[in-house]
Amino acid sequence: MTAPTINGTRYPQPIEDLLPAARDLDLPDGEAFPSRNRLMREFRIGAPKAGELLALLKTMSAAPLADTTAPGTPDPAPALAAPEPAPPVVPDPTPAPEITPPTPPVEVAPVSRPDTPTPPAPARSAVVWPVVLLALPAFVAIWSGWVGLGGLTGFGIVHPLPGIWDSFSINSAITLPIGVETYGAYALYVWLSGRVPDRARTFAKWSALGSLAIGALGQVAYHLLEAAGVTSAPWWITTAVACLPVAVLGMGAALAHLVRTQD
């Protein structure tokens, strides 16, 4: 970067040559001297040289010229005052302060509104193994009661595969505890699970209660007949017990259909 053309040359000019151009600069209102930055920008000179030029301008303005010239004689060029040497730069003995990295802000838990409901804590599921212990004696009593009642109402040994497997036989009385009590337990589970449509839940509720009630009546009828020494149940008990497998089949099919049907 070179200085601007002054006196027909573009080489760096001495201060004496730059002084007239500096005095002719247009200054804003209220300013007596150009700033050092403007001198650096106008004449493409460094900060030390601009400082010397500014000091020279201030010195010449403070010392007015004496009127020693004769009339009609042009004013001689003013004597150039030697610029004062710039004071040496003394390094600051104070060490530079250490820059401490900013401490990250502490995360503050958001404060909820007073009316905001607090989510409930997850509840632990209850253990179910005691149910198995309770079901074992009930299973023995219910099984024996239904099988005994079936024997009093005409249920007994049958051969379901004649001509195919003649030696295979089964006591049809076991269909009573398997059908009635199994359906009652399953319908009770569907009702209390709450994961089925409303129609299926309603049907499961009433059919479960009805199945458990029929199971209780069957146990009562068997023990009364057994205690009375009756070897053959009355016709109306036999009729009711004979219809139980068909009723269980119909209720099971209806409940399975309702469980898979969306409201």
Side-chain angles (χ1 to χ4, degrees):
M1 183 181 297
T2 60
T5 302
I6 299 176
N7 299 331
T9 177
R10 297 181 63 87
Y11 289 99
Q13 303 293 318
I15 295 179
E16 293 79 2
D17 296 340
L18 296 176
L19 184 60
R23 296 177 62 182
D24 294 337
L25 290 176
D26 294 332
L27 301 178
D29 295 339
E31 292 187 7
F33 305 100
S35 62
R36 187 180 64 171
N37 292 336
R38 184 175 180 187
L39 294 176
M40 294 169 59
R41 185 172 61 253
E42 293 287 343
F43 302 116
R44 309 290 179 85
I45 57 178
K49 197 170 184 178
E52 295 179 8
L53 181 58
L54 181 58
L56 185 57
L57 287 174
K58 293 180 179 181
T59 303
M60 294 182 63
S61 175
L65 296 178
D67 189 9
T68 57
T69 56
T73 305
D75 295 338
L80 298 178
E84 297 181 0
V89 179
V90 180
D92 189 359
T94 305
E98 296 182 359
I99 300 177
T100 305
T103 304
V106 180
E107 294 185 0
V108 180
V111 179
S112 59
R113 297 178 55 186
D115 57 347
T116 302
T118 304
R124 298 179 57 184
S125 59
V127 295
V128 295
W129 63 265
V131 178
V132 178
L133 185 61
L134 294 172
L136 289 178
F139 173 78
V140 174
I142 292 172
W143 184 275
S144 60
W146 274 119
V147 172
L149 183 61
L152 297 177
T153 56
F155 290 85
I157 302 297
V158 296
H159 298 275
L161 300 175
I164 300 176
W165 190 357
D166 294 334
S167 61
F168 176 70
S169 62
I170 188 172
N171 191 339
S172 60
I174 66 173
T175 59
L176 298 175
I178 293 177
V180 176
E181 304 302 335
T182 302
Y183 175 80
Y186 176 68
L188 186 65
Y189 166 76
V190 173
W191 168 33
L192 298 178
S193 67
R195 294 180 294 180
V196 296
D198 292 339
R199 292 178 57 193
R201 188 177 181 185
T202 302
F203 181 84
K205 172 184 175 180
W206 293 112
S207 62
L209 296 177
S211 182
L212 294 177
I214 291 175
L217 292 176
Q219 298 298 317
V220 171
Y222 167 71
H223 287 286
L224 290 177
L225 293 175
E226 187 69 18
V230 178
T231 58
S232 178
W235 67 268
W236 54 274
I237 295 180
T238 302
T239 302
V241 172
C243 294
L244 287 180
V246 180
V248 169
L249 176 62
M251 290 188 298
L255 182 57
H257 175 74
L258 292 175
V259 167
R260 290 173 172 79
T261 301
Q262 299 296 329
D263 288 340

